[in-house]
Amino acid sequence: MDFLTVVPAAGQGFRHEIGRESLRIGRSSGNDLALDDLNVSRVHAEIVRRPEGHYLLDAGGKNGTYVNERRIAEPALLRPGDRIRLGATTLIFNGAPQSPIEFSDRPLLPGSGATFLPASSTRTPSGGAIPLLLEAAPPPAAAPAGLVTAARTLPGQATPGPAPFQHRPLGEILHTIMDLARRAVPFERGLLMLLEGGRLVPQVVRVPPDEAGRMISISRTITDRVVLNKESVLASDALFDDRFRQGQSVEAQYLRSVMCVPLWNNREVIGLIYVDNRHRAGLFSEENLRVLTHLANVAAIKIENARLFEQVLAKEVMEVELQKAAEIQSHLQPAEGPPIPGYVVYGGSIPCRAVGGDYFDYIEMPGGRFGIGLGDVAGKGLPAALLMCSFQASLRALSELDLRPEETMARLNGLLYNRIPANRFVTFFYGVLDPARHTLTYVNAGQTPPAILRSDGGLERLTQSGRPLGLLPDTAYCSASIALAPGDVLVCSSDGVTEGRGLSDEEFGEERLNGLVREARQDAPPRIVREVLAAIETFHAGEPHQDDITLIILKRT
């Protein structure tokens, strides 16, 4: 009877019989197979029996229905061993989870009678002995994706031209490669393994149904020789081969014939294909080894191309997501300053990447007061941007409590210390402007000290500062107050403004910043901000910024 092996993301797997003409699958208890998986829709998929076999249909699952890591839109004919993924749950059709692999450390004895074949000796001929039809979409029949079997496409024989290009997921390609290998060489057990971080990781395991889940032991000596020497290995009649008689774990499995070939893309080995057979001695021949090696060479190039293509797709998806994140972040930052009696405030920010970790905001508070903040998360890019969004929400929530600035800062520090990684922190300047009294009460947690350009031409730096937020628990902060006279201008910036370096490796510096503001002090803050940011761009001469750049100008009119 046909069945599914259900492998949950966590917990014990189990077998479920397919005893009806159809099998409905989903999270709802009304399904024939109910899955305890929040990533699965209430009615997610269905398996139906037809004369040619069982088909999997997507029933509108919100997270998609996948067969061998390929998302399906049309009914998919299932083959034994196919892996169905619904949410975080895997269903294996008429099969069991892949067998675990162990490597036996057995020496290769002299005179073992093995055959070694350099992978480069079977490079794909110019005429194309094995067509690269792996690009073609798989037909509904059982034949693997329009591939011509290697046994019928040996060098010198004519082959059809390649099918039109159509990208297929890497997981599906790997299964197709093993389909072709089985048609080219009648093996009993087969493995396709890829190198990941210098380690061989099984990707496809093909074993007889009654051996699913059993340990497969292969010689590390063979795999090392295949990977390091770019050689294909054939061991005929393994029971009587000295090399294998020395290996108890191999001998116990009664191996008769073994082949192992590198997945070599003309530059490096990216993995291997291993097959064995226990039907009769001497089953694999040197011609079989050449065919499998030739197929592996072609497959390695296809695997590499698929990896590169998927990297490009992933990059495009990431760029789209970053663009959306940048749009959201730009909406979180104020486009204009609030209407403050007797004052004008304006800010601007330029992230050095798509999104940034700098933050500025204006917060209307009780009693006609306004909070003005500028912060900088340690780090850049998306992680810093995510943390800064959380920081903004926390600050706005605390501002509703109408706390003193030093109390607000202390609470922010406690929240961040308990929630962010140890290598992250936030520098933040926070001032509360009282336009009725014309005072600014501020706390600085490690941010670049702001400066006030007085109406009489003097400059006053607000040097009082404390620890950055999130570094240490129970940190106390002190506030200070300063009076603002008509014509006074507050200049508050992130370190990306003052520490940015030009082509001569010279910093932009506070003196240059304050000088630009002094020259433009008669202008309105929006114009001052735009002029300063333009001067920064000129200073960097078109080179990418090394840090986020943020600036706030507050002027008493």
Side-chain angles (χ1 to χ4, degrees):
M1 180 177 288
D2 296 301
F3 65 96
L4 294 172
T5 300
V6 183
V7 185
Q12 184 68 32
F14 60 95
R15 174 172 170 146
H16 186 91
E17 304 289 344
I18 307 176
R20 302 169 56 180
E21 293 300 314
S22 66
L23 180 75
R24 291 186 304 166
I25 308 170
R27 196 174 74 251
S28 172
S29 59
N31 291 287
D32 302 311
L33 174 58
L35 301 177
D36 185 15
D37 186 341
L38 295 177
N39 296 307
V40 172
S41 298
R42 293 179 60 81
V43 178
H44 197 114
E46 185 176 10
I47 295 177
V48 297
R49 187 196 304 273
R50 294 179 181 173
E52 60 269 31
H54 284 87
Y55 280 82
L56 176 68
L57 288 73
D58 178 62
K62 62 180 180 180
N63 292 321
T65 300
Y66 295 80
V67 177
N68 298 327
E69 293 307 316
R70 178 190 176 202
R71 185 167 184 167
I72 65 170
E74 303 294 332
L77 178 63
L78 295 175
R79 296 175 297 175
D82 277 349
R83 303 176 72 85
I84 303 165
R85 180 165 63 82
L86 310 179
T89 303
T90 299
L91 311 173
I92 306 172
F93 178 69
N94 284 346
Q98 289 189 355
S99 301
I101 311 300
E102 70 170 3
F103 295 91
S104 59
D105 295 311
R106 303 298 179 183
L108 178 61
L109 301 178
S112 61
T115 299
F116 302 100
L117 182 68
S120 58
S121 67
T122 58
R123 184 175 302 174
T124 305
S126 58
I130 297 179
L132 283 176
L133 297 184
L134 287 165
E135 292 91 343
L147 289 168
V148 178
T149 62
R152 291 167 51 194
T153 54
L154 296 175
Q157 292 182 315
T159 62
F165 177 81
Q166 177 178 338
H167 172 66
R168 296 168 61 199
L170 178 59
E172 182 183 341
I173 290 172
L174 299 180
H175 279 273
T176 302
I177 290 169
M178 289 305 293
D179 288 340
L180 178 56
R182 185 186 292 278
R183 294 177 62 184
V185 179
F187 63 79
E188 187 178 12
R189 301 185 306 180
L191 310 174
L192 190 153
M193 309 178 78
L194 296 181
L195 282 168
E196 296 180 4
R199 185 171 63 93
L200 284 168
V201 178
Q203 302 293 330
V204 182
V205 178
R206 297 288 175 85
V207 297
D210 59 343
E211 295 188 22
R214 293 184 187 177
M215 181 72 70
I216 298 178
S217 179
I218 62 177
S219 168
R220 188 180 299 276
T221 302
I222 290 180
T223 58
D224 285 350
R225 184 148 188 170
V226 167
V227 172
L228 299 178
N229 295 357
K230 304 182 183 68
E231 290 182 328
S232 297
V233 178
L234 165 64
S236 299
D237 197 359
L239 270 179
F240 303 101
D241 191 319
D242 290 339
R243 169 175 43 161
F244 291 100
R245 290 199 303 171
Q246 296 295 322
Q248 297 177 1
S249 61
V250 178
E251 184 180 10
Q253 296 182 77
Y254 305 102
L255 299 185
R256 295 282 182 171
S257 195
V258 169
M259 287 193 297
C260 191
V261 300
L263 290 165
W264 182 64
N265 60 14
N266 293 330
R267 299 187 315 277
E268 60 180 347
V269 174
I270 62 172
L272 58 82
I273 296 176
Y274 168 94
V275 298
D276 64 43
N277 204 302
R278 295 164 291 180
H279 289 308
R280 68 178 188 273
L283 176 67
F284 297 141
S285 65
E286 184 172 335
E287 184 63 20
N288 293 141
L289 186 66
R290 289 186 178 277
V291 169
L292 192 62
T293 303
H294 183 47
L295 184 151
N297 288 349
V298 174
I301 296 174
K302 176 57 187 173
I303 292 171
E304 197 72 4
N305 289 341
R307 280 175 163 175
L308 292 173
F309 191 79
E310 291 190 352
Q311 289 174 7
V312 171
L313 290 180
K315 183 179 179 181
E316 290 178 352
V317 170
M318 178 60 71
E319 288 176 350
V320 171
E321 294 297 325
L322 285 175
Q323 183 178 1
K324 293 179 180 178
E327 293 174 0
I328 293 173
Q329 189 176 45
S330 67
H331 286 297
L332 293 176
Q333 293 177 343
E336 300 288 342
I340 305 175
Y343 291 84
V344 178
V345 63
Y346 190 83
S349 185
I350 303 174
C352 68
R353 298 180 184 173
V355 292
D358 277 8
Y359 160 71
F360 73 96
D361 206 353
Y362 325 117
I363 304 171
E364 189 170 357
M365 303 179 67
R369 294 169 300 146
F370 290 85
I372 299 173
L374 187 149
D376 182 0
V377 172
K380 302 176 183 65
L382 192 56
L386 289 172
L387 180 53
M388 186 49 74
C389 289
S390 175
F391 177 84
Q392 180 192 37
S394 299
L395 174 63
R396 284 189 164 267
L398 287 172
S399 67
E400 295 181 359
L401 301 178
D402 197 19
L403 303 172
R404 296 194 305 272
E406 59 270 27
E407 292 176 335
T408 298
M409 202 71 87
R411 293 204 183 188
L412 282 171
N413 179 73
L415 289 171
L416 290 173
Y417 181 80
N418 292 321
R419 293 182 180 179
I420 65 176
N423 62 339
R424 297 281 180 177
F425 58 88
V426 178
T427 60
F428 187 56
F429 173 85
Y430 181 57
V432 175
L433 174 67
D434 187 339
R437 292 187 173 89
H438 300 295
T439 59
L440 180 73
T441 303
Y442 68 92
V443 181
N444 192 351
Q447 186 56 262
T448 301
I452 293 182
L453 299 178
R454 296 298 186 181
S455 57
D456 60 5
L459 184 145
E460 184 176 350
R461 298 178 75 246
L462 309 185
T463 56
Q464 179 169 304
S465 183
R467 291 193 184 98
L469 302 173
L471 280 180
L472 296 172
D474 303 324
T475 300
Y477 293 90
C478 297
S479 65
S481 293
I482 192 166
L484 297 172
D488 286 349
V489 177
L490 172 70
V491 182
C492 187
S493 68
S494 65
D495 57 7
V497 173
T498 55
E499 296 179 6
R501 296 180 179 274
L503 295 179
S504 62
D505 201 36
E506 177 189 5
E507 286 190 351
F508 191 80
E510 293 183 33
E511 184 176 350
R512 193 189 310 269
L513 169 63
N514 294 327
L516 287 169
V517 176
R518 181 178 284 111
E519 292 176 2
R521 61 179 306 143
Q522 301 303 322
D523 296 330
R527 184 181 179 90
I528 297 174
V529 170
R530 287 192 289 267
E531 289 180 358
V532 172
L533 294 180
I536 292 172
E537 294 292 347
T538 301
F539 181 79
H540 285 273
E543 292 296 314
H545 301 303
Q546 299 303 309
D547 201 355
D548 303 324
I549 293 172
T550 303
L551 176 67
I552 291 178
I553 299 293
L554 170 70
K555 181 179 180 180
R556 181 179 174 186
T557 57

